[in-house]
Amino acid sequence: MATEVVVRSGLGYGPSGKLLDLYQPVGVPEPAPAVLLWHGQGPDERDVLGTVARAAAARGVLVLVPDWRPDAPDDGRTHLEESADFVRRNVADLGGDPERIVLAGWSRGAKAAVGVALNPEGFDNWRPRAVVGIAGAYVTAAPSTGTVPLEDLRQNSDSLAPLPVWLVHGTTDPVVDVERSRELHMALVEHGWPASLAEVATDHAGVIMTEFVPERQRCLPSTADHAVEAGSLTADVLARAAGLAVPNGAAPTGRTAKWPHDDTRRQGRSPSVPPVRP
């Protein structure tokens, strides 16, 4: 059952003075599991993730969405590190469980989140409960680490304790092809990591319940059927990764688990949407 969500906007985090928004479920037992959710390529676009963050919070997860600037000289690494440090130190005071923090991201944020799982040295070797990658590509350097996630998997998998990696991708994504998530999923499974891949018939923006609006050069909330379905699935995955039971399907189990059933690929066509920035 969906719960009421209270939004606290514009909380400061870290020495850089960046802001984050907190989506807090009302009436759920505390401490609640938490999700740190990183946005994509657009600088300081935490608002783009507002719809899917609220949907995840309505499932009982405390969601924190920070601004960061991928166009910074260090590709935004300082902001990402500061946001993770802030959440780890303060999540308990915000009603969250420091032992149940999921690191997630969309587009470039997905690459950053997966990068931390596979090369955690710059994040004090932090091991979140799980990682969720939404519409990401993993064959170029992650802004969080400066290294390539797929290469890190091959080089570091023997020395790292595997953690669950949940992937979500639209099958009609014109910005980041769904094959990027498929190849990471296959590599994770081959290296013995617990991994799942949920595919849904939508595009790069729809997977977070938005649509790209050219006049605004921004992703804005969408009520299109494909976006609502895809964004709801993404919210479910965020909640499941945090350990919550979500109605209408059992949580995946096993090292090569898939979501929600044996076949996660929901094939179909969705309306054509102009490309947005990865």
Side-chain angles (χ1 to χ4, degrees):
M1 179 180 295
T3 186
E4 180 185 352
V5 176
V6 171
V7 181
R8 296 172 60 184
S9 182
L11 301 178
Y13 76 85
S16 297
K18 287 296 174 186
L19 303 178
L20 64 78
D21 293 340
L22 172 70
Y23 297 79
Q24 189 163 23
V26 176
V28 301
E30 292 190 5
V35 174
L36 171 58
L37 180 59
W38 288 334
H39 66 71
Q41 174 69 14
D44 295 338
E45 285 192 343
R46 71 184 192 275
D47 58 293
V48 168
L49 293 175
T51 304
V52 74
R54 182 184 289 273
R59 289 153 170 80
V61 182
L62 183 76
V63 184
L64 303 99
V65 186
D67 275 338
W68 65 287
R69 295 195 67 94
D71 60 349
D74 66 351
D75 298 323
R77 191 177 310 168
T78 296
H79 302 149
L80 297 172
E81 291 175 352
E82 289 179 358
S83 69
D85 181 66
F86 174 87
V87 170
R88 294 172 65 193
R89 288 187 295 104
N90 294 283
V91 71
D93 294 334
L94 298 171
D97 186 345
E99 299 301 320
R100 293 189 293 165
I101 301 174
V102 172
L103 180 58
W106 169 66
S107 194
R108 182 159 295 206
K111 183 191 302 185
V114 171
V116 173
L118 299 173
N119 185 3
E121 184 176 354
F123 287 73
D124 297 324
N125 291 308
W126 175 44
R127 308 302 284 158
R129 175 191 176 97
V131 166
V132 179
I134 308 163
Y138 309 99
V139 294
T140 56
S144 53
T145 63
T147 56
V148 177
L150 266 173
E151 294 180 0
D152 287 335
L153 174 63
R154 299 183 180 109
Q155 295 173 6
N156 301 336
S157 60
D158 290 341
S159 60
L160 289 175
L163 56 81
V165 178
W166 302 65
L167 304 174
V168 186
H169 215 119
T171 56
T172 60
D173 189 331
V175 178
V176 180
D177 194 279
V178 66
E179 288 297 331
R180 302 291 77 77
S181 285
R182 290 173 182 168
E183 64 188 354
L184 177 63
H185 177 251
M186 182 179 298
L188 287 165
V189 171
E190 289 175 349
H191 284 81
W193 283 53
S196 66
L197 170 58
E199 300 183 11
V200 63
T202 193
D203 49 58
H204 198 67
V207 78
I208 55 166
M209 216 179 301
T210 66
E211 62 182 324
F212 182 70
V213 180
E215 297 79 8
R216 298 281 298 276
Q217 286 295 295
R218 206 172 190 84
C219 291
L220 300 177
S222 174
T223 57
D225 288 346
H226 71 95
V228 172
E229 178 185 357
S232 297
L233 182 146
T234 298
D236 284 347
V237 169
L238 291 170
R240 290 175 182 275
L244 296 182
V246 177
N248 300 324
T253 58
R255 300 185 69 81
T256 60
K258 295 184 178 181
W259 193 98
H261 302 295
D262 289 340
D263 183 6
T264 65
R265 299 180 182 180
R266 298 188 178 185
Q267 302 295 349
R269 299 184 62 83
S270 64
S272 176
V273 175
V276 297
R277 292 169 291 184

